[in-house]
Amino acid sequence: MVIGGVHAADIADEFGTPVYVTDEQRLRDNYRRIYEAFSKYMDTRVHYACKANTNLAILRILEQEGAGIDAVSIGEVLTCIKAGYSPKRIMYTGVNVSDSELKAVADLGVMINIDSESEMERLARIAPGHQVSFRITPGVGSGHGAKVITGNKGAKFGIPLDKVIPVYSRAEDLGFDIRGIHAHIGSGGQSPEPFADMTEVLIDNVNRLSDLGIKLDFIDIGGGIGVPYRPQEEEMDVGEMAMNITDMITEYTDVKTLVLEPGRYIVCDSTVLLTRVNDIKDAGVKKYVGCDAGFNTLIRPAMYDSYHYAAIANKFGKACTDKFDIVGPICESGDYLARDRPLPDPKEGDIVAIYNAGAYGFSMSSNYNSRPLCREVLVNEGRAELIREAETPEEMWRHQIVPERLSR
Ligand code: LLP
């Protein structure tokens, strides 16, 4: 298996495992594909949803490509500023956030996408006249599972539809600099229809606001574009989706700019997780391949029952001998990376590659079982570079304090 012109097994040997390996060219290609699909029809800003992956080198690459940022916390905002993004290119969409966080974000000059009436009233006191848009609850949801659908009626996110007009009117009375309207239906949906349905709801509200004299600069359709994880799955036709959505917006509104916030689409297939086989077990009814990455490293299978394709990197093209569960070092039976996968005679020392690990992989990893966060490597044109060191045990306990009376 070769990634970015480098043998995966060599990367594992040189840098150690587990390790996330990102192909720079794929990242750039993904960004360009989505940007070009929409921008050929109307003025488009792609705000990368950095919650999917906040590695500074990856953020740098996307900054070079011209991306903006969708950030959900002051931590993400500061990380992106450190990576070189101007605050003007960042949009902050928090949910249930504190006054102090709102103040810190506003003080940096970052636009705030308001999630609730409560947030609006609080922000009016903290940062009067600030640049804002509003996240509405479109009543349309979509996603790869119930845990990631966000746009449905009654969701915890956004301004409920019946309150949208009064909220914008109130925002005007409060003196906010109102710029746009936003919705996000959910993450990982594979069908274009919900995106069109949501756009219709946004358009309806844009026009009702326009009738009241409230003109908007942009419509933000959020993120959520699904990608194939299984070998036979087809890609969503982003070109057609772009054509339909931009067509609706240009035909039925005066809004000039479209914003989108893809996370998964940009980073998902740019990255594989390499993990070394420590242990092989035949448990009778099941056979296990025990690796050094578990749900501390990649939580998606354990958390969402997500499918990630897996292969043995040093046995590419070899015939599969049996089916195995690929599991990790975490002391829970829910700790798995893949189930019932045909593999070619796995042995201790082999390198398992878990595909499509760039989105919500490292960014959701943890120290559970006191396992350090793992390394990240960037590959490009035959060169592999370390972009994150593995954490040390000292770093894992650096914020803990043992009271003097308990000291040894
Ligand atoms: N915009 C907003 C307001 C969001 O909440 C999200 C994702 C995105 C954009 C980007 O969505 P994407 O294009 O990546 O689908 N941890 C889950 C996914 C959670 C997504 C949360 N919000 C997973 O591993 O599948």
Side-chain angles (χ1 to χ4, degrees):
M1 177 189 184
V2 174
I3 169 165
V6 190
H7 281 283
D10 291 347
I11 297 171
D13 288 345
E14 183 182 343
F15 296 97
T17 55
V19 57
Y20 280 95
V21 184
T22 297
D23 179 345
E24 176 170 345
Q25 200 52 53
R26 178 63 72 100
L27 199 60
R28 291 188 187 276
D29 290 348
N30 288 347
Y31 177 84
R32 288 174 196 170
R33 196 178 324 108
I34 188 93
Y35 175 71
E36 280 158 20
F38 285 86
S39 64
K40 77 175 186 212
Y41 300 112
M42 71 183 286
D43 179 50
T44 298
R45 296 200 322 245
V46 174
H47 283 224
Y48 164 58
C50 71
K51 58 178 82 65
N53 192 325
T54 39
N55 180 283
L56 290 170
I58 290 173
L59 291 172
R60 280 297 314 133
I61 291 167
L62 295 172
E63 198 275 337
Q64 285 182 345
E65 290 294 326
I69 290 290
D70 160 42
V72 293
S73 69
I74 179 68
E76 286 189 354
V77 169
L78 293 172
T79 302
C80 293
I81 290 174
K82 173 153 181 68
Y85 290 82
S86 146
K88 289 192 197 70
R89 280 163 66 186
I90 304 175
M91 170 132 101
Y92 171 84
T93 300
V95 60
N96 304 325
V97 290
S98 68
D99 288 2
S100 58
E101 179 154 328
L102 285 174
K103 178 162 181 0
V105 172
D107 285 351
L108 288 166
V110 169
M111 183 183 308
I112 295 181
N113 190 26
I114 297 177
D115 183 77
S116 68
E117 284 179 87
S118 157
E119 186 181 327
M120 170 176 69
E121 298 293 343
R122 290 186 292 126
L123 187 64
R125 292 192 290 272
I126 296 164
H130 198 69
Q131 259 188 32
V132 297
S133 63
F134 288 88
R135 177 177 191 164
I136 70 164
T137 320
V140 180
S142 165
H144 64 71
K147 286 180 183 159
V148 297
I149 295 174
T150 51
N152 54 301
K153 192 171 175 204
K156 90 166 177 180
F157 304 95
I159 314 285
L161 271 189
D162 58 342
K163 301 223 172 93
V164 172
I165 303 300
V167 162
Y168 271 87
S169 301
R170 171 79 178 143
E172 225 188 13
D173 293 346
L174 288 168
F176 279 117
D177 177 6
I178 304 170
R179 294 299 176 94
I181 188 164
H182 166 279
H184 173 71
I185 52 179
S187 188
Q190 291 273 43
S191 148
E193 281 84 30
F195 290 93
D197 294 347
M198 164 194 50
T199 307
E200 220 173 281
V201 175
L202 286 168
I203 287 173
D204 175 53
N205 281 283
V206 164
N207 289 331
R208 289 203 282 149
L209 290 169
S210 174
D211 292 344
L212 295 176
I214 303 176
K215 306 281 182 199
L216 303 180
D217 298 339
F218 69 83
I219 292 181
D220 182 336
I221 60 166
I225 300 169
V227 300
Y229 280 85
R230 292 172 192 267
Q232 313 307 341
E233 248 173 311
E234 279 191 24
E235 252 176 67
M236 217 164 105
D237 189 339
V238 172
E240 191 174 312
M241 174 182 161
M243 192 171 71
N244 289 341
I245 286 178
T246 53
D247 209 41
M248 287 163 76
I249 295 174
T250 49
E251 186 167 346
Y252 297 113
T253 77
D254 297 328
V255 175
K256 295 282 174 276
T257 301
L258 171 68
V259 177
L260 34 141
E261 305 169 345
R264 190 186 310 272
Y265 184 88
I266 293 177
V267 285
C268 188
D269 72 357
S270 71
T271 303
V272 295
L273 168 63
L274 301 180
T275 173
R276 195 175 289 275
V277 178
N278 285 333
D279 212 289
I280 301 283
K281 182 175 290 178
D282 184 347
V285 288
K286 266 219 182 289
K287 293 190 169 67
Y288 292 101
V289 174
C291 298
D292 61 7
F295 78 56
N296 56 318
T297 324
L298 177 68
I299 203 172
R300 302 193 69 259
M303 187 155 179
Y304 310 113
D305 276 325
S306 296
Y307 177 98
H308 284 258
Y309 182 75
I312 299 185
N314 52 304
K315 289 181 178 165
F316 242 46
K318 299 257 160 62
C320 293
T321 49
D322 210 338
K323 284 191 173 169
F324 301 84
D325 276 18
I326 303 173
V327 295
I330 296 298
C331 295
E332 293 200 23
S333 45
D335 178 31
Y336 82 101
L337 298 174
R339 289 207 202 281
D340 287 325
R341 299 300 172 79
L343 293 173
D345 191 26
K347 289 273 188 278
E348 292 89 345
D350 280 349
I351 300 298
V352 172
I354 308 288
Y355 285 58
N356 292 310
Y360 310 105
F362 186 93
S363 68
M364 291 180 81
S365 65
S366 77
N367 283 134
Y368 187 44
N369 279 196
S370 292
R371 298 210 168 269
L373 298 180
C374 74
R375 298 168 186 82
E376 295 176 282
V377 162
L378 185 69
V379 288
N380 193 29
E381 294 177 348
R383 198 164 82 175
E385 294 165 295
L386 194 62
I387 55 172
R388 179 191 292 269
E389 304 260 20
E391 216 177 10
T392 62
E394 289 74 20
E395 286 165 339
M396 281 196 293
W397 61 68
R398 72 187 183 281
H399 295 301
Q400 299 191 48
I401 298 161
V402 178
E404 190 59 41
R405 66 192 174 78
L406 298 177
S407 63
R408 288 179 295 162

